[in-house]
Amino acid sequence: MTYVSADRAPGPSRRSALAGLVGGAAVLAGCTPSGAKPANAPTPSGARSPQSRAGDPTPGVMTLFEEPAYNFSCLWALGGAGFSAAEVGEVLTAVNAVNKAGLSAQTYVKTFRELGDRLMGPPPGSKPDDQTTRFRALRAAQYYAQALFFVLGSDDPGSEEDLYTAGRGAWDRFCDLSDPAPVKANVPYGTTPLPVWFFRPDPSNTRRPTVILTNGSDGQNVDMWAYGVAAALDRGWNALVYDGPGQGQLLFVDQVVFTPPGRRSSAPSSTGSPSGPTWTPPGSVSPG
């Protein structure tokens, strides 16, 4: 599973592009048609780099890809297996497929998108029950998110919204099949409401602690499930997930970017909780 990368990143992710961590040469390399082979293409020797690459966010950890950005992202997916948001065998099979094809944004996006598509259909030769369908959808949301993260460096960066929509559809299917299903609501925010999902351990109106999970620009709701929703429900707590400016639906569909510091905050307050299809938040807190 070890891949010897070239000196240049195989393609920009949204995070690196927004943060300015990918230089102009790397961006151009990521936009090179998949059939073109860079002059410093890696050899298939499987040897590790003699030292950690500069900026490696996960030094000393398991190496799925020598390129740090891809390794970090894929390890994130692998970690989701502990919360049913991935399956170890599926992730490692995808890693092997990408490495066999040659690591690039294109091969990574193609492999994980196809895996998501496959999971959104029924398993071969059987009719799954709701629980099977539910967690296949959650894993599909994870794999679509993996593809979305690097789509800007692929051969089809214009498919970004379609890829987000596929992942959102998988997430919504997971939510709809949950018991109880999270309460969905829209919080007023300027001219574009913020979608929220309010998870409860049971459908009663019992008062209990509520955790509000705030995502980043390149994170998807499935990440929040693994990052805290599942753990909150296990403890008998509520959990609220939302798309704020520069996140999820607001970013990829509504084209609403991050709110500059000092302007109105975006998340509903924990002093209130949705108890039905309609909900008016009593206040707001700034995202972390």
Side-chain angles (χ1 to χ4, degrees), residues 194-243:
L194 311 184
V196 303
W197 295 262
F198 185 71
F199 290 85
R200 304 158 294 165
D202 61 61
S204 70
N205 289 323
T206 303
R207 293 179 64 87
R208 54 175 63 93
T210 296
V211 179
I212 298 177
L213 293 119
T214 296
N215 218 331
S217 67
D218 46 25
Q220 302 306 316
N221 291 326
V222 63
D223 298 329
M224 297 294 93
W225 172 264
Y227 197 73
V229 174
L233 295 177
D234 285 346
R235 288 162 173 77
W237 300 353
N238 300 323
L240 185 142
V241 175
Y242 68 98
D243 285 345

Side-chain angles (χ1 to χ4, degrees), residues 1-4 37 42-44 64-65 91-104 107-108 111:
M1 292 178 292
T2 300
Y3 175 83
V4 182
K37 185 176 181 180
T43 63
L64 302 175
F65 303 108
V91 174
L92 296 184
T93 298
V95 169
N96 287 337
V98 172
N99 280 331
K100 183 177 180 179
L103 176 62
S104 69
T107 57
Y108 195 95
T111 300

Side-chain angles (χ1 to χ4, degrees), residues 176 203 216:
D176 291 343

